[in-house]
């Protein structure tokens, strides 16, 4: 009798634990994949049935943003919930960089690890390659991948770089790896990690190296799409997403796993047929126009996010950390963050509103644009625009252009082409007030303002 009671007690504890178990989190982050590069965002030539399925079984955001349209800055915002200039990581770090993410910052991985999650990253890190900045020092139990972009290697078409390391844990295991294998290597490890950790909560972060140039695809996917090598590369990424989804299903983890697919910035247009497309949006990577900063975003959490939902309210990568914190019951970072919980939007709750008054687009430390509701205000700034597209892995030239103060209604003018500053003086005034507020906090190079809330990145001391 006593044994039966004990058995029942442990059984009920198990059931309670299962019910209390916070959701697993999988973030799949493509590199330089544009707004128009996948099926559920209008691409007709590239087949992405698995990514599209996340949207069909969950939610698609039409107006989802990254904070800055370049690799390291964008990844910083995703992982820390902060504007990248708040934590001091700008641009794209490379083999000569001495900085990286500061130890006082809290990543999604550290936040979830404190809650008992197993954590792993398979892919491109790009938040500092020196030992103290590597993923294993910032909350990840496992790491396999490249420390920065896959074009930072000796075969670069126009610049000189040393050998490109492939890192496992904290050790370089190979130099200039066979890049046709990257997507499948990351995928195999992602699948194994899920299988090994199926009995406890896990956070799997898969920042793919593709489709950042140079493009590489495995033999299995070569020549299969209607959109050339670029299309093949995207279809292989979709295959990878399919493998992850199938593994979740096989181990009955689908219902308790949040899966997100998005991109770090828009297409690198100078690479022509080796770049993607921003679809209906203006410009691409490296600019604060929507072609640079607006990316496809799909997310699934069965039972929580109603299937087939579409959200047109703006949101940003900075919001994912606090949203995940809430879902997982994890503690927010001690230091101030910029993101806010977008759970009500993801759950498609009636009358759900954006928790943010506006989103701010800095390029480096210069405030270039603000998105507030349907409006986007650009301050005067220079930007690069394509002079001539490159081909087959060789970049074409950009020229500098300049935009004056411009107010666009993105609901009617996704291309940011009709300046409405004269027609809507009240909106202009209102958004200027919001911009001034962020300048006090984060500064602005263009107006020579210093921000009170800016923190520095970590810096290595290199012996001379
Ligand atoms: Mg990128």
């Amino acid at each position: 009798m006593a044994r039966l009671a004990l058995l029942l007690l442990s059984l009920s504890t198990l059931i309670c634990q299962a019910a209390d178990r916070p959701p697993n989190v999988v973030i799949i982050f493509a590199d330089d994949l544009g707004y128009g590069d996948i099926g559920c965002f209008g691409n007709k030539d590239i087949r992405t049935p698995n990514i599209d399925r996340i949207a069909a079984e969950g939610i698609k955001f039409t107006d989802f943003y990254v904070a800055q349209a370049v690799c390291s800055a964008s990844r910083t915002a995703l992982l820390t919930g902060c504007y990248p200039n708040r934590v001091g990581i700008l641009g794209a770090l490379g083999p000569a960089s001495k900085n990286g993410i500061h130890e006082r910052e809290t990543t999604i991985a550290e936040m979830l690890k404190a809650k008992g999650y197993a954590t792993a990253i398979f892919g491109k890190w790009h938040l500092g390659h020196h030992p103290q900045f590597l993923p294993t020092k910032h909350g990840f139990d496992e790491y396999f991948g490249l420390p920065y972009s896959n074009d930072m290697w000796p075969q670069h078409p126009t610049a000189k770089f040393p050998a490109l390391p492939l890192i496992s844990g904290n050790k370089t295991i190979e130099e200039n790896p066979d890049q046709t294998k990257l997507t499948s290597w990351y995928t195999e490890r992602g699948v194994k990690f899920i299988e090994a950790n199926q009995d406890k909560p896990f956070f799997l972060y898969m920042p793919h190296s593709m489709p950042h140039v140079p493009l590489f695809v495995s033999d299995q996917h070569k020549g299969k799409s209607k959109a050339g090598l670029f299309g093949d590369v995207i279809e292989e990424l979709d295959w990878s997403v399919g493998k992850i989804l199938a593994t979740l299903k096989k181990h009955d983890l689908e219902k308790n796993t949040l899966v997100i697919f998005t991109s770090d910035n828009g297409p690198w247009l100078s690479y022509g047929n080796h770049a993607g497309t921003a679809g209906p949006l203006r410009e691409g990577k490296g600019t604060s126009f929507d072609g640079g900063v607006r990316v496809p975003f799909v997310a699934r959490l069965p039972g929580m996010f109603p299937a087939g939902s579409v959200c047109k309210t703006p949101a940003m990568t900075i919001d994912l950390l606090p949203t995940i914190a809430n879902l997982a019951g994890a503690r927010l970072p001690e230091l101030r963050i910029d993101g806010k919980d977008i759970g009500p939007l993801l759950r498609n709750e009636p009358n759900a509103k954006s928790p943010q008054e506006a989103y701010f687009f800095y390029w480096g430390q210069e405030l270039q644009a603000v998105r507030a509701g349907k409006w986007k205000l650009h301050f005067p700034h220079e930007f690069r625009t394509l002079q001539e597209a490159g081909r087959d892995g060789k970049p074409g030239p950009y020229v500098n252009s300049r935009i004056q103060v411009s107010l666009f209604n993105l609901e009617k003018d996704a291309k940011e082409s009709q300046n409405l500053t004269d027609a809507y003086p009240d909106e202009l005034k209102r958004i200027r007030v919001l911009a001034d507020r962020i300048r006090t906090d984060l500064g602005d190079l263009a107006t020579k303002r210093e921000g009170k809330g800016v923190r520095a990145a970590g810096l290595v001391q290199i012996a001379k």
Side-chain angles (χ1 to χ4, degrees):
M1 195 65 191
R3 280 173 77 181
L4 183 66
L6 203 64
L7 187 70
L8 283 174
L9 189 68
S10 54
L11 204 62
S12 70
T13 312
L14 263 178
I15 291 165
C16 278
Q17 275 172 352
D20 287 346
R21 179 175 158 171
N24 311 305
V25 178
V26 177
I27 299 179
I28 305 168
F29 207 48
D31 196 348
D32 294 6
L33 179 140
Y35 191 77
D37 284 334
I38 57 176
C40 57
F41 279 77
N43 197 295
K44 300 270 184 273
D45 297 325
I46 304 174
R47 292 163 302 181
T48 54
N50 294 300
I51 300 167
D52 300 349
R53 189 150 63 84
I54 299 175
E57 295 173 357
I59 187 163
K60 158 180 151 172
F61 277 55
T62 62
D63 290 50
F64 193 86
Y65 288 95
V66 299
Q68 295 199 21
V70 61
C71 296
S72 296
S74 175
R75 279 147 219 273
T76 302
L78 170 74
L79 288 178
T80 66
C82 293
Y83 284 111
N85 42 324
R86 182 179 299 286
V87 297
I89 296 191
L90 305 171
L93 305 181
S97 300
K98 292 179 184 166
N99 58 338
I101 187 162
H102 198 286
E103 62 186 3
R104 72 178 158 229
E105 305 297 343
T106 304
T107 65
I108 295 178
E110 282 166 310
M111 177 183 87
L112 292 179
K113 199 173 161 61
K115 187 74 189 163
Y117 278 60
T119 56
I121 163 177
F122 304 119
K124 166 176 162 178
W125 171 236
H126 224 174
L127 298 187
H129 67 288
H130 293 283
Q132 68 265 48
F133 303 135
L134 287 176
T136 50
K137 299 286 162 58
H138 291 275
F140 289 97
D141 302 327
E142 294 181 41
Y143 171 43
F144 174 91
L146 304 181
Y148 33 74
S149 297
N150 61 320
D151 66 340
M152 294 170 172
W153 71 336
Q155 288 93 317
H156 192 282
T158 58
K160 274 197 158 60
F161 285 104
L164 174 68
L166 174 68
I167 299 177
S168 181
N170 296 324
K171 285 200 175 70
T172 296
I173 54 164
E174 211 179 315
E175 288 187 329
N176 303 322
D178 177 359
Q179 294 205 30
T180 65
K181 304 271 178 27
L182 288 178
T183 301
S184 47
W185 283 340
Y186 299 158
T187 308
E188 283 161 19
R189 282 163 178 81
V191 166
K192 269 193 196 149
F193 173 77
I194 293 172
E195 293 191 325
N197 292 288
Q198 55 182 286
D199 296 326
K200 57 179 167 209
F202 59 81
F203 170 45
L204 170 62
Y205 174 44
M206 295 197 59
H208 282 282
S209 296
M210 296 292 133
H212 191 292
V213 289
L215 299 180
F216 284 100
V217 72
S218 69
D219 287 344
Q220 197 196 337
H221 293 90
K222 206 175 194 170
K224 295 286 167 66
S225 86
K226 283 193 276 176
L229 177 58
F230 185 84
D232 294 347
V233 166
I234 302 296
E235 290 192 4
E236 184 165 34
L237 287 184
D238 185 74
W239 161 86
S240 171
V241 171
K243 286 280 179 201
I244 298 298
L245 296 181
T247 308
L248 294 173
K249 191 179 173 114
K250 183 177 164 192
H251 298 288
D252 204 19
L253 296 164
E254 263 184 327
K255 285 198 175 64
N256 197 33
T257 303
L258 166 65
V259 180
I260 290 171
F261 178 92
T262 186
S263 174
D264 73 329
N265 52 251
W268 200 349
L269 298 173
S270 69
Y271 279 88
N273 64 337
H274 280 200
T277 170
L281 310 177
R282 181 172 173 183
E283 299 295 339
K285 173 177 176 175
T287 76
S288 299
F289 289 97
D290 269 26
V293 288
R294 207 203 295 190
V295 289
F297 178 92
V298 295
R300 185 185 80 177
L301 182 53
M304 280 269 235
F305 307 168
S309 309
V310 176
C311 177
K312 295 183 173 173
T313 305
M316 193 185 264
T317 43
I318 54 172
D319 299 321
L320 294 178
L321 182 147
T323 304
I324 290 167
N326 205 0
L327 282 171
R331 276 184 59 175
L332 284 172
E334 304 243 315
L335 294 176
R336 184 177 165 193
I337 63 165
D338 297 293
K340 292 189 174 156
D341 182 10
I342 54 167
L345 295 176
L346 284 161
R347 292 189 290 273
N348 205 9
E349 289 174 5
N351 307 318
K353 286 195 174 60
S354 171
Q356 303 267 13
E357 235 176 328
Y359 290 99
F360 301 95
F361 300 100
Y362 279 81
W363 181 247
Q365 289 160 325
E366 177 187 14
L367 180 62
Q368 295 192 334
V370 180
R371 170 95 197 238
K374 65 183 178 186
W375 300 102
K376 186 154 168 208
L377 175 65
H378 282 261
F379 294 106
H381 67 85
E382 283 200 353
F383 63 96
R384 67 183 190 185
T385 192
L386 200 57
Q387 187 180 42
E388 194 188 335
R391 260 201 93 69
D392 300 337
K394 297 263 187 313
Y398 284 109
V399 287
N400 272 350
S401 188
R402 195 170 170 80
I403 186 169
Q404 294 307 322
V405 173
S406 302
L407 182 70
F408 301 117
N409 176 352
L410 290 189
E411 263 177 24
K412 293 185 175 159
D413 176 25
K415 200 84 189 165
E416 298 173 79
S417 61
Q418 291 176 38
N419 185 358
L420 301 173
T421 36
D422 293 340
Y424 293 91
D426 292 346
E427 293 301 336
L428 186 65
K429 208 168 142 189
R430 182 176 70 85
I431 301 171
R432 278 187 185 281
V433 170
L434 298 175
D436 253 355
R437 211 182 290 158
I438 202 77
R439 285 185 183 111
T440 307
D441 186 7
L442 291 180
D444 178 18
L445 212 56
T447 54
K448 299 194 169 53
R449 293 270 291 272
E450 278 194 29
K452 289 179 185 152
V454 169
R455 309 191 284 266
L459 201 61
V460 284
Q461 302 295 328
I462 294 180
K464 293 210 175 116

